[in-house]
């Protein structure tokens, strides 16, 4: 049905309008009345008309003026106008009417049929026009739709041909398009994805971050960028993607759509993660020498970043010992532990054991149930292994200096859905290198610590320890070896022992060598001459792969003491034998009946017996006294003694038995303070000194005993003109059993105890004793003892010590 046309009837006379309506009614169109030009214009402003019937004579705007105004407006310019007039038929008016845009000119009274016919023509024309217009519109719409379809198809084609995931979203953020890649990746239909968005496919840990960024982009219109993991349908692997989206805006700047892409950056991310992981692992391993702890830390670090399960096993006495175990799921870690107790023998079929046996890495990308069952030795183990949902593993041997000593194993389970590839193997190998060198370093350090300690012990012990290598070169020479031999380590280490120890080729076979520390040998005492020193060493050796370790101690002093003892025995025997022989001889002579002894000889023999008995007693006394002194059993009682009186008594007694060639003199001041001493012990000292002076003056001469004062001391000096003593022996003559001439080349006997007894007695009385002498010039023995002037004795610290000046 054609559109109803609107016809505007303009006449100031209502009856005319009525008449018009009546005439046009049958046309069935919409008739609109206007009673003036102004009203007609108002209608034209609001509505669209197919035709205007316009009265010419009207008050206000007349028909022509109204027509002029209509023609001036763009929208109404083409509306046909039929003038209706009763006025004139003259040409001027008609002309003006056409000029004003009239299409027709009808004079009143007009023929209703004619008018109706004319109007019907215009109505039809208008209707045709309207139809035409509608058709054109329809056509344009169709064309547009076709164009749009084409561009959509082109854009989808573009979207689908891009290797990335491409998507678009509405301004509210809801997905409205995803390309083929997205569908393939997630294995879902477009409807499903557009319905649920990304939420379903995102890694749970990344949902929050991604959502925050997307919301911020939607709120601000700023470009969107986020990284997250999405699960790949083909293998269930979580892969990192970088999402980027930009908003498209209309002319007014309002966002109409978001265009986005997801790019798979998993390889890059994984590579970066691995680098970071390796750097961190290296740092952890290098941070401490406690490798058991650092390896456990590294295993923790690896989970879940590069693996789901990480174990580190090392070989200890042919068995695998688990140093570290980390599992993404701590509950499952317990299951792995249960396995470990039963299956860690080095011949186990377990992954680590295999890598260790073969000495090369093992990569199993797809662990089948069949393979799994070879790992288990019984149903229970298989059950555990299955429950762990293991998918893939890598085991890499730990190698240090060419020796395999353990393995690192990375196992992927259903927890992450990862599968190991060659890339992962490279990572595991790198990790194993780090770990192996950390373990090796720690072991080397421990070894060097142990050696360091051993070396310190070697330096601290009192026995000399020397290592001579197989080539006979000295490699070690400890502090005690230096102290004993006087040879510094720097001077001997690195040199052949034959150059260092004179007579080594003869000595070497005398030293017993044990085959090992468990094979004890008795040390042998051997003499060693080093320069002007003669040493007695007791030593033995132990052989080992690098050579021989010799241990020795210095027996020189013990040896000297031993010698001294045997010399003493010889001396004392001799000393005892001489008087005994005299006594025995005299007694035997007296007992003889075959000869007649006269009284004189008899008395003489009895005298010999008495004298020699005295001598025997004196020797025995000296021995007893020395032993009392040694054991500290000799009491000392200090008193005020008259030094002069004491000295005079000693000189007087000596004069009685001194040989004639000896002259004894006592030199002393008139007055002298008393000396603080043990009377009988001081007397013993002076007797010994005077006896020696006589004994060692075989050619006679004066022996002067001087008593005097030296500061707060009383000094006794016994000077002879006898044999004298070389300066080097001045100290040693005071030692026990020491004699200058033990072989008695000059025939002067003695026990070597006299001066020792003197020194010890003087020392106990807080005094000092020394000798001033030169060979052939006689000797002066000096004894100083505190004067007993004041009642209070002097503090011990200020007093001179025996044997020193
Ligand atoms: P002894 O006289 O029994 O040998 P001593 O202890 O009394 O032992 O003396 C030790 C040594 O000191 C003597 O063997 C002797 O060589 C030396 N000696 C001691 N007194 C003198 C002295 N007055 N003149 C020279 N030598 C002496």
């Amino acid at each position: 049905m054609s559109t109803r046309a609107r016809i505007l009837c303009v006449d100031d006379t209502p009856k005319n309008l009525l008449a018009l309506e009546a005439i046009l009614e049958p046309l069935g169109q919409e008739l609109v009345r206007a009673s003036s030009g102004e009203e007609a214009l108002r209608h034209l402003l609001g509505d669209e008309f197919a035709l205007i019937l316009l009265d010419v004579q009207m008050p206000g705007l007349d028909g022509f003026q109204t027509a002029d105004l209509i023609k001036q407006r763009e929208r109404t310019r083409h509306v046909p106008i039929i003038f209706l007039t009763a006025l004139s038929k003259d040409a001027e008016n008609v002309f003006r009417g056409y000029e004003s845009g009239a299409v027709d000119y009808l004079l009143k009274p007009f023929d209703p049929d004619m008018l109706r016919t004319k109007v019907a023509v215009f109505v039809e024309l208008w209707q045709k026009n309207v139809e035409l217009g509608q058709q054109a519109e329809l056509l344009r719409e169709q064309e547009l739709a076709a164009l749009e379809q084409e561009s959509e198809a082109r854009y989808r084609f573009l979207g689908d041909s891009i290797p990335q995931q491409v998507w678009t979203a509405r301004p509210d953020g809801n997905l409205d398009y995803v390309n083929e890649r997205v569908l393939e990746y997630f294995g879902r239909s477009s409807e499903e994805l557009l319905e649920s968005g990304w939420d379903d496919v995102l890694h749970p840990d990344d949902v929050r971050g991604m959502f925050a960024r997307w919301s911020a982009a939607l709120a601000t219109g700023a470009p969107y960028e986020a990284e997250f993991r999405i699960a790949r349908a083909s293998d269930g692997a979580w892969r990192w993607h970088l999402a980027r989206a930009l908003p498209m805006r209309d002319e007014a700047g309002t966002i109409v759509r978001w265009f986005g892409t997801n790019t798979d950056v998993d390889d890059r991310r994984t590579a970066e993660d691995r680098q970071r992981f390796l750097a961190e692992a290296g740092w952890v391993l290098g941070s401490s020498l406690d490798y058991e702890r650092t390896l456990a830390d590294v295993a923790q670090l690896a989970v879940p970043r590069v693996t789901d399960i990480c174990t580190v096993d090392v070989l200890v006495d042919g068995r695998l010992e688990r140093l570290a175990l980390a599992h993404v799921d701590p509950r499952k870690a317990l299951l792995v532990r249960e396995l470990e107790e039963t299956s860690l023998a080095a011949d186990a079929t377990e992954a680590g054991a295999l890598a260790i046996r073969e000495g090369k890495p093992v990569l199993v990308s797809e662990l089948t149930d069949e393979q799994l069952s070879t790992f288990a030795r019984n149903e229970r183990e298989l059950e555990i292994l299955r429950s762990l949902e293991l998918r893939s593993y890598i085991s890499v041997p730990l190698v240090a200096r060419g020796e395999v000593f353990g393995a690192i194993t990375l196992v992927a389970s259903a927890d992450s859905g990862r599968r190991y590839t060659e890339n992962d193997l490279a990572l595991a190998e790198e990790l194993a290198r780090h770990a192996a060198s950390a373990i090796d370093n720690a072991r080397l350090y421990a070894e060097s610590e142990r050696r360091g300690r051993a070396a310190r012990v070697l330096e601290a012990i009192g026995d000399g320890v020397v290592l001579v290598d197989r080539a006979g070169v000295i490699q070690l020479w400890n502090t005690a070896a230096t102290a004993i031999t006087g040879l510094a380590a720097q001077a001997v280490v690195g040199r052949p022992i034959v150059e260092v120890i004179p007579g080594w080729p003869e000595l070497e076979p005398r030293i017993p060598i044990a085959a090992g520390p468990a094979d004890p040998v008795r040390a042998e005492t051997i003499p060693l001459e080093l320069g002007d020193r003669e040493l007695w060493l007791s030593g033995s050796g132990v052989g080992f792969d690098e050579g021989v370790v010799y241990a020795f101690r210095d027996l020189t002093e013990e040896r000297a003491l031993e010698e001294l003892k045997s010399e003493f025995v010889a001396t004392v025997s001799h000393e005892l034998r001489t008087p005994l022989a005299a006594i025995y001889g005299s007694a035997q002579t007296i007992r003889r009946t075959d000869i007649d002894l006269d009284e004189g000889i008899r008395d003489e023999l009895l005298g010999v017996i008495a004298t020699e008995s005295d001598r025997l007693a004196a020797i025995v006394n000296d021995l007893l006294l020395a032993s009392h002194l040694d054991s500290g059993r000799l009491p000392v009682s200090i008193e005020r003694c008259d030094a002069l009186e004491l000295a005079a008594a000693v000189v007087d007694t000596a004069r009685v038995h001194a040989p004639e060639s000896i002259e004894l003199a006592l030199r002393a001041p008139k007055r002298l303070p008393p000396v603080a001493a043990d009377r009988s012990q001081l007397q013993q000292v002076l007797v010994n000194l005077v006896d020696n002076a006589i004994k060692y003056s075989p050619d006679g001469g004066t022996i002067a005993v001087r008593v005097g004062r030296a500061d707060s001391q009383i000094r006794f000096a016994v000077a002879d003109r006898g044999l004298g003593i070389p300066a080097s022996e001045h100290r040693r003559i005071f030692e026990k059993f020491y004699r200058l001439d033990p072989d008695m080349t000059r025939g002067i006997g003695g026990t070597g105890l006299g001066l020792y007894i003197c020194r010890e007695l003087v020392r106990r009385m807080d005094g000092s004793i020394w000798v001033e002498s030169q060979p052939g010039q006689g000797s002066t023995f000096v004894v100083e003892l505190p004067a007993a002037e004041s009642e209070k004795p002097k503090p011990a610290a200020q007093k001179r010590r025996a044997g020193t000046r």
Side-chain angles (χ1 to χ4, degrees):
M1 200 190 96
S2 49
T3 326
R4 241 160 71 105
R6 212 177 273 127
I7 303 163
L8 184 60
C9 306
V10 191
D11 203 312
D12 60 318
T13 318
K15 77 173 185 330
N16 286 350
L17 283 172
L18 261 172
L20 271 175
E21 265 179 21
I23 295 166
L24 297 176
E25 179 70 55
L27 291 177
Q29 307 300 327
E30 187 185 339
L31 299 171
V32 179
R33 291 194 215 170
S35 53
S36 65
E38 289 83 355
E39 196 187 343
L41 289 175
R42 262 200 306 281
H43 281 296
L44 283 162
L45 273 179
D47 293 317
E48 195 185 338
F49 291 89
L51 178 70
I52 304 166
L53 299 174
L54 189 56
D55 185 20
V56 176
Q57 270 105 27
M58 286 188 292
L61 284 175
D62 68 14
F64 298 130
Q65 288 170 322
T66 307
D68 281 345
L69 287 171
I70 290 170
K71 292 299 160 188
Q72 276 171 28
R73 268 188 73 217
E74 177 64 33
R75 255 187 73 197
T76 50
R77 173 178 299 161
H78 304 292
V79 182
I81 301 171
I82 300 176
F83 282 114
L84 308 170
T85 181
L87 193 63
S88 58
K89 286 174 64 166
D90 58 64
E92 192 199 336
N93 261 338
V94 173
F95 181 72
R96 214 185 138 196
Y98 285 114
E99 208 181 44
S100 301
V103 290
D104 212 343
Y105 209 92
L106 291 179
L107 282 177
K108 298 176 191 173
F110 34 69
D111 178 6
D113 285 332
M114 167 94 91
L115 177 67
R116 209 168 23 244
T117 312
K118 282 200 172 182
V119 168
V121 170
F122 280 106
V123 165
E124 199 181 333
L125 196 68
W126 177 83
Q127 282 174 332
K128 283 269 178 308
N129 264 337
V130 167
E131 251 171 57
L132 266 175
Q134 281 174 341
Q135 274 172 7
E137 178 70 13
L138 204 70
L139 202 74
R140 220 181 60 231
E141 270 176 18
Q142 282 171 350
E143 274 174 9
L144 260 178
L147 259 176
E148 228 168 68
Q149 247 179 352
E150 194 187 312
S151 98
E152 184 81 13
R154 206 181 291 151
Y155 144 81
R156 276 178 194 231
F157 176 77
L158 200 68
D160 288 340
S161 58
I162 289 177
Q164 283 163 318
Q165 297 181 7
V166 177
W167 49 270
T168 63
R170 289 196 290 271
D172 63 3
N174 283 319
L175 276 184
D176 62 356
Y177 161 75
V178 289
N179 73 347
E180 271 304 310
R181 296 280 160 281
V182 178
L183 304 180
E184 277 165 22
Y185 190 87
F186 295 111
R188 295 187 183 200
S189 73
S190 177
E191 289 70 35
E192 273 177 298
L193 271 168
L194 296 187
E195 171 71 28
S196 61
W198 303 117
D199 299 7
D200 275 9
V201 291
L202 266 181
H203 191 286
D205 293 349
D206 301 339
V207 173
R208 219 129 90 91
M210 178 266 180
F211 183 73
R213 280 160 183 269
W214 185 223
S215 309
L218 291 177
T220 60
Y224 159 73
E225 205 173 290
E227 281 196 17
F228 45 73
R229 280 158 291 179
I230 42 185
R232 183 160 65 187
S234 59
D235 57 359
W238 291 106
R239 292 184 67 82
W240 281 99
H241 280 72
L242 165 67
R244 277 203 176 115
L246 286 173
M248 188 176 95
R249 298 168 189 271
D250 64 10
E251 284 149 24
T254 316
I255 294 173
V256 289
R257 228 174 180 191
W258 285 86
F259 284 85
T261 53
N262 296 342
T263 315
D264 187 329
V265 291
D266 199 70
D267 292 343
R268 188 221 352 122
R269 272 287 293 231
T270 316
E272 276 174 14
D273 260 6
R274 287 180 171 168
Q275 279 314 314
R276 246 198 315 271
F277 164 71
L278 281 177
E280 280 172 42
W283 187 83
V284 167
L285 287 167
S287 66
S288 154
L289 286 168
D290 179 357
Y291 67 86
E292 296 196 10
R293 213 196 66 222
T294 55
L295 280 174
D297 289 347
V298 166
Q300 278 309 338
L301 208 63
V303 169
R305 286 165 67 177
V306 295
T307 182
D308 300 318
I309 306 170
C310 177
T311 60
V312 184
D313 303 310
V314 290
L315 270 178
V316 178
D317 302 330
R319 280 186 67 80
L320 281 188
E321 203 168 86
R322 181 138 296 167
L323 281 190
L325 161 70
H327 197 298
V328 211
D329 184 344
R331 281 165 307 162
K332 290 190 183 163
L334 293 176
L335 288 177
V336 181
R337 283 227 168 79
E338 193 180 327
L339 280 181
E340 169 186 322
E341 282 173 13
T342 51
S343 69
L344 277 180
D347 61 348
T349 42
E350 211 240 7
L354 201 68
I356 291 172
R357 265 205 311 280
E358 303 281 314
K360 55 183 188 212
V362 181
L363 162 66
V364 175
S365 298
E366 194 70 58
L367 187 59
T368 60
D369 193 64
E370 200 183 322
Q371 273 171 309
L372 203 64
S373 55
T374 65
F375 292 170
R377 291 178 309 178
N378 53 46
E379 272 308 306
R380 168 75 187 140
E381 280 184 16
L382 187 61
E383 195 185 313
I384 293 176
L385 283 168
R386 281 196 179 125
S387 71
L388 289 170
E389 297 180 283
L390 313 175
R391 292 287 151 79
S392 172
Y393 76 80
I394 291 173
S395 202
V396 198
L398 293 168
V399 187
R401 283 171 287 158
E403 202 184 314
V404 178
F405 64 92
I408 288 189
T409 306
L410 307 180
V411 189
S413 66
D415 297 271
S416 70
R418 38 163 93 78
R419 291 276 190 290
Y420 289 131
T421 62
E422 290 291 331
N423 274 347
D424 301 290
L425 184 64
L427 168 89
E429 286 183 304
E430 187 65 30
L431 179 65
R433 264 194 294 279
H434 276 302
S437 79
I439 296 174
D440 195 40
N441 278 349
R443 287 182 170 175
L444 280 179
Y445 182 80
E447 175 62 18
S448 80
E449 269 290 277
R450 202 182 58 73
R451 289 191 182 189
R453 257 197 304 276
R456 285 195 291 280
V457 168
L458 265 188
E459 287 312 301
I461 59 170
D463 284 9
V465 177
V466 170
L467 165 61
V468 178
D469 69 14
R470 290 178 163 276
V473 175
I474 298 172
Q475 297 297 349
L476 186 136
W477 189 268
N478 76 344
T479 314
T482 299
I484 293 169
T485 60
L487 299 170
Q490 302 96 285
V492 300
V493 170
R495 285 175 58 197
I497 192 161
V498 278
E499 282 180 16
V500 174
I501 306 294
W504 177 251
E506 294 77 47
L507 288 176
E508 192 186 5
R510 292 176 57 186
I511 305 173
I513 306 290
D519 165 34
V521 286
R522 262 184 87 91
E524 192 64 38
T525 305
I526 50 160
L528 191 65
E529 263 180 51
L530 284 171
D532 58 353
R533 297 179 62 195
E534 191 193 346
L535 296 173
W536 283 90
L537 304 180
S538 155
S540 63
V542 180
F544 74 122
D545 8 313
E546 288 178 38
V548 179
V549 179
Y550 293 98
F552 54 89
R553 56 180 50 179
D554 187 3
L555 290 187
T556 312
E557 284 200 4
E558 281 99 325
R559 182 80 186 187
L561 207 66
E562 281 297 316
E563 276 179 2
L564 211 64
K565 277 185 189 157
S566 53
E567 266 172 31
F568 161 73
V569 172
T571 313
V572 169
S573 313
H574 176 84
E575 282 300 298
L576 292 174
R577 197 157 359 103
T578 315
L580 269 179
I583 292 169
Y584 181 75
S586 304
Q588 286 289 29
T589 312
I590 293 169
R591 275 180 65 194
R592 274 172 77 165
T593 48
D594 56 332
I595 50 164
D596 223 0
L597 291 173
D598 68 32
E599 214 42 38
I601 292 175
R602 204 182 156 84
D603 278 352
E604 213 172 301
L605 289 172
L606 284 173
V608 168
I609 290 175
T611 314
E612 294 305 314
S613 297
D614 274 351
R615 207 171 137 195
L616 267 181
I619 291 167
V620 173
N621 273 343
D622 274 359
L623 287 170
L624 270 176
L625 189 55
S627 113
H628 281 166
L629 283 169
D630 285 348
S631 60
R633 276 183 291 145
L634 192 77
V636 186
S637 81
I638 305 289
E639 53 185 326
R640 294 157 73 89
C641 310
D642 187 332
L644 276 175
E645 190 191 292
L646 251 166
V650 170
V651 169
D652 286 347
T653 317
R655 275 200 192 108
V656 177
H657 63 260
E660 276 173 12
S661 57
I662 297 284
E663 191 191 322
L664 274 149
L666 175 67
R667 296 188 187 130
K670 293 232 158 47
R671 284 170 54 79
L672 205 61
V675 59
D678 179 307
R679 184 184 301 275
S680 67
Q681 289 178 8
L682 175 56
Q683 189 177 357
Q684 168 97 55
V685 170
L686 294 177
V687 168
N688 280 1
L689 293 180
V690 172
D691 279 357
N692 275 350
I694 298 170
K695 206 158 80 174
Y696 296 104
S697 300
D699 303 328
T702 307
I703 291 169
V705 176
R706 281 189 290 271
V707 189
R709 204 182 156 142
D711 300 330
S712 56
Q713 309 280 310
I714 303 296
R715 172 183 289 184
F716 302 86
V718 180
D720 62 53
R721 300 272 172 79
L723 297 174
I725 304 156
S728 60
E729 305 291 330
H730 286 186
R731 281 179 81 90
R732 302 195 70 184
I733 52 171
F734 290 97
E735 285 171 15
K736 198 157 48 165
F737 304 127
Y738 192 82
R739 307 197 71 233
L740 274 189
D741 178 21
D743 303 331
M744 294 189 293
T745 46
R746 310 244 0 195
I748 305 169
T751 54
L753 281 173
L755 287 179
Y756 169 72
I757 290 169
C758 289
R759 186 187 78 184
E760 290 304 302
L761 292 177
V762 169
R763 200 165 62 81
R764 279 166 175 73
M765 291 186 285
D766 278 341
S768 49
I769 180 168
W770 69 91
V771 66
E772 291 161 0
S773 172
Q774 271 180 23
Q777 305 270 312
S779 317
T780 302
F781 283 85
V782 185
V783 171
E784 280 186 1
L785 286 166
E789 259 173 339
S790 67
E791 290 301 312
K792 272 194 261 167
K794 288 212 151 200
Q798 287 182 4
K799 292 172 190 169
R800 290 207 190 122
R801 288 271 154 237
T804 58
R805 284 199 75 169

